[in-house]
Amino acid sequence: MCTGRRFVAVIGPSGIARRDLARLGTFGVPDDVAWRWPGSYTTVEVTDEFTRVWTDLGGAWPVYTTAADGGVYWASSSRALAGLTHTGPNVDRLAAWLLAPSVPVLLAGRSAFAGVELVPAGHRLTVARDGVVRTNQMWSPRPRPGAADHRLRAELAAAVAVRVVAASAPTVDLSGGYDSTALALLAHESVGPDHAVTGVTVCPVGHPSGGDLDYARLVAERSGIAHRLMPLDADHAPYTSLCAVPVTDEPAPSTVAHARFSGQLHWMRTTLGTDCHMTGDGGDSLLCSPPIMLADLLATGRNRRGVVETIRWARLRRLPVWSLLVSAYRTSRSNRADALARLSVELFTGVRKAVPKGDIGWCATDLVPSWATYDARARAAAVASSVPQRFPEAAIGMFAATVAAEGIADVGRSARADIQLAETVGVPLHNPFTDSRVVDAYLSIPLDERPGSADYKPVLRDALADLFPAELAARTTKGDFNPDHYHGMRTNLPELHALADGQLAALGLVDPVELRRTLAMTAAGLPVPFSTVEPAVAAEVWLRALADAPDVVWTPVAAGEEAK
């Protein structure tokens, strides 16, 4: 919308009405614009004095910046900006992601390309006419009273409706879990009886029943959702055909499962004509209270509940109560800067300080993988030590909300790479759990009302109580896909070994001999965390796709001249 000397654009799925957009063009953009309407979108305002960009809360529409030609460029693609400045991968960020993939704050503000910065989720970027650039935080979790389940239901329903209102053949993952089922049921409710929503469930060839599939079939039968099964065969196994993964802005979460992911997308497009597909990605990060909530309770004097929730968590995880209480208390009396300083030392030395199993802290990481080189450890350590200077400390009582907000922003941003993969097939992919108002609604739950870490998504269960079958509502677990990954690794082990001597080794981040040994041990079923394997495989696949892809070409255009 362009009004006078002000231009305003809302980019991405949004429930904003035309009259509201016109109002923004006339009176300017308020700083709560990112979570004022349903959807997941970036808002841009351009005047004679400045350009301002507001990012969404879930990170699903990332915005990047780079300095070039004496000014600042911004774009929705980090790879596009890297093509402008001819820069390669951000090796520091890559090292941090490889060695500490479960600490998303290490990646905050960083893109996968050198010299290209990420505007964090829930922030406002201002680029003034004189070239001054400022980035300010516009949103953080703010507790507010009210029925959390009703609020979540309303916002999630609105997020789904924004997608399906313009779709002629919407589809939804129907895995049998809470998250995808909620989206499928809300989509079915939104389109009404005259239109169809298809729930898609993948299953192994010759196994049309059992486990998650039974729950998915039950939901479809009770609700009337059209239900289709996509059989998976050996060609869809994890780690298969990794050379076919297209280039994206960063390593895609679906990389190791690309054969299944792309196979499902092609099947839905050709068989169902899918023009809108929704997944439950982000539901776990948003709806499951992180264990650091136990430290929140102790830090704010809620000692009785803190002890009760610690006991419940210990029983669920079969861990000793006393050691959990000690670590929760220690974290309640410390800050993240200290935790990141310790993490930096552990990453640099490759030696993790001995802590009890299930330790409650800011940085829950696995052991530094044996294949990590000295350079990789040094780079990752430097990234960890720089974080406290870049981001403020979390307020007491807001540890869990802060960690969840960072986690969902990490999911949303990385899922953008999966959306790019889906675009190559022609399927618009959506993740409503990363929508700004959904994120704001859930993370606004006060600490006293927040579910404990041992509870399995009770707010979502209560929000959909009238739609969830009783059998589904009673679930407290999810299906286990580890056997498929082990089988896929064993089948494709020669190809995986060939990846070890590649781009990561050339960058000095990986010892190829040790990586091949780790891959062999994992494929054999020995106790090696997937978190020390999957990031390395995904990063190597991405680097090779990046090297094989043509550079993004920019064409200079004089001001006022239309591009030919």
Side-chain angles (χ1 to χ4, degrees):
M1 175 66 66
C2 185
T3 305
R5 306 290 290 184
R6 187 189 313 276
F7 174 88
V8 177
V10 175
I11 306 168
S14 171
I16 187 172
R18 182 171 291 276
R19 64 180 180 277
D20 294 321
L21 185 57
R23 192 173 295 115
L24 297 182
T26 301
F27 300 106
V29 180
D31 282 329
D32 66 349
V33 65
W35 65 99
R36 182 165 284 207
W37 292 279
S40 177
Y41 52 89
T42 289
T43 306
V44 182
E45 178 186 29
V46 180
T47 69
D48 291 339
E49 291 76 32
F50 54 74
T51 295
R52 298 199 295 181
V53 182
W54 289 261
T55 55
D56 67 288
L57 310 190
W61 286 84
V63 171
Y64 302 93
T65 63
T66 194
D69 302 329
V72 175
Y73 287 80
W74 65 271
S76 59
S77 168
S78 56
R79 178 171 169 252
L81 290 181
L84 175 70
T85 55
H86 305 291
T87 54
N90 185 334
V91 183
D92 290 342
R93 181 190 186 276
L94 199 56
W97 182 65
L98 287 170
L99 271 59
S102 60
V103 188
V105 73
L106 300 187
L107 309 186
R110 303 174 186 271
S111 86
F113 293 91
V116 179
E117 299 297 315
L118 168 70
V119 181
H123 280 59
R124 182 192 66 208
L125 168 72
T126 303
V127 182
R129 187 175 183 180
D130 60 5
V132 175
V133 179
R134 297 187 303 278
T135 302
N136 302 100
Q137 185 174 0
M138 294 293 104
W139 175 88
S140 60
R142 296 177 177 88
R144 62 179 186 270
D149 55 340
H150 293 168
R151 192 159 59 227
L152 179 62
R153 168 70 173 264
E155 298 304 343
L156 200 55
V160 169
V162 163
R163 270 74 176 196
V164 300
V165 67
S168 58
T171 56
V172 186
D173 278 347
L174 189 56
S175 67
Y178 275 14
D179 305 334
S180 63
T181 298
L183 300 182
L185 292 171
L186 290 173
H188 180 64
E189 186 178 64
S190 179
V191 300
D194 297 331
H195 296 82
V197 172
T198 302
V200 177
T201 306
V202 297
C203 64
V205 170
H207 295 82
S209 63
D212 290 345
L213 181 54
D214 290 344
Y215 287 101
R217 181 176 286 111
L218 173 66
V219 169
E221 291 173 351
R222 299 279 180 86
S223 65
I225 293 173
H227 191 206
R228 296 293 298 270
L229 302 182
M230 178 193 162
L232 301 176
D233 56 28
D235 292 337
H236 299 111
Y239 302 98
T240 300
S241 301
L242 295 179
C243 60
V245 181
V247 67
T248 51
D249 277 345
E250 62 178 273
S254 68
T255 298
V256 300
H258 183 257
R260 181 204 61 77
F261 180 67
S262 62
Q264 179 183 349
L265 292 170
H266 280 286
W267 179 82
M268 291 190 305
R269 185 64 180 161
T270 58
T271 305
L272 306 175
T274 297
D275 59 355
C276 169
H277 184 70
M278 291 183 287
T279 83
D281 285 359
D284 288 346
S285 297
L286 181 64
L287 303 174
C288 296
S289 296
I292 201 171
M293 178 188 169
L294 303 176
D296 269 329
L297 295 170
L298 299 180
T300 55
R302 294 165 169 84
N303 296 331
R304 184 178 184 280
R305 189 184 175 205
V307 171
V308 170
E309 294 294 353
T310 301
I311 293 172
R312 297 180 65 230
W313 180 246
R315 286 175 176 171
L316 179 67
R317 296 294 180 177
R318 299 181 180 180
L319 297 170
V321 175
W322 181 248
S323 63
L324 289 186
L325 275 173
V326 170
S327 64
Y329 178 80
R330 183 187 65 247
T331 299
S332 75
R333 296 297 186 268
S334 62
N335 57 48
R336 182 156 61 173
D338 293 337
L340 286 166
R342 290 192 295 273
L343 174 64
S344 178
V345 172
E346 292 172 0
L347 290 173
F348 183 75
T349 61
V351 179
R352 186 182 180 191
K353 179 182 176 182
V355 295
K357 187 176 181 181
D359 183 65
I360 307 299
W362 282 104
C363 306
T365 61
D366 292 311
L367 297 176
V368 175
S370 61
W371 47 257
T373 63
Y374 172 85
D375 190 42
R377 299 198 311 271
R379 287 175 180 274
V383 170
S385 65
S386 71
V387 170
Q389 289 76 46
R390 296 164 63 92
F391 298 96
E393 281 286 347
I396 293 176
M398 297 298 291
F399 298 168
T402 299
V403 168
E406 292 169 353
I408 194 67
D410 184 67
V411 169
R413 187 213 68 251
S414 60
R416 187 68 195 166
D418 277 347
I419 291 173
Q420 291 175 324
L421 294 179
E423 287 172 350
T424 66
V425 181
V427 174
L429 187 66
H430 300 272
N431 306 301
F433 280 101
T434 65
D435 276 20
S436 294
R437 286 182 67 89
V438 175
V439 172
D440 181 60
Y442 192 83
L443 295 186
S444 67
I445 299 175
L447 181 59
D448 285 334
E449 301 170 24
R450 179 179 287 275
S453 301
D455 294 313
Y456 186 68
K457 305 179 183 178
V459 178
L460 182 62
R461 181 195 62 218
D462 294 345
L464 276 292
D466 60 321
L467 297 180
F468 275 5
E471 297 89 337
L472 175 69
R475 290 198 79 178
T476 58
T477 59
K478 298 175 63 174
D480 181 9
F481 295 97
N482 281 347
D484 294 335
H485 280 250
Y486 285 123
H487 176 72
M489 288 196 74
R490 287 193 294 271
T491 302
N492 296 285
L493 192 56
E495 290 78 9
L496 293 176
H497 278 171
L499 291 177
D501 233 335
Q503 300 286 327
L504 286 174
L507 290 172
L509 300 179
V510 162
D511 178 337
V513 174
E514 277 298 313
L515 181 55
R516 278 192 289 270
R517 189 173 74 88
T518 300
L519 289 168
M521 291 173 60
T522 309
L526 296 176
V528 178
F530 275 116
S531 61
T532 65
V533 174
E534 291 191 359
V537 173
E540 180 64 32
V541 170
W542 177 74
L543 288 168
R544 294 189 181 203
L546 182 65
D548 292 340
D551 291 338
V552 176
V553 178
W554 288 67
T555 303
V557 177
E561 178 185 347
E562 293 185 359
K564 303 300 182 183

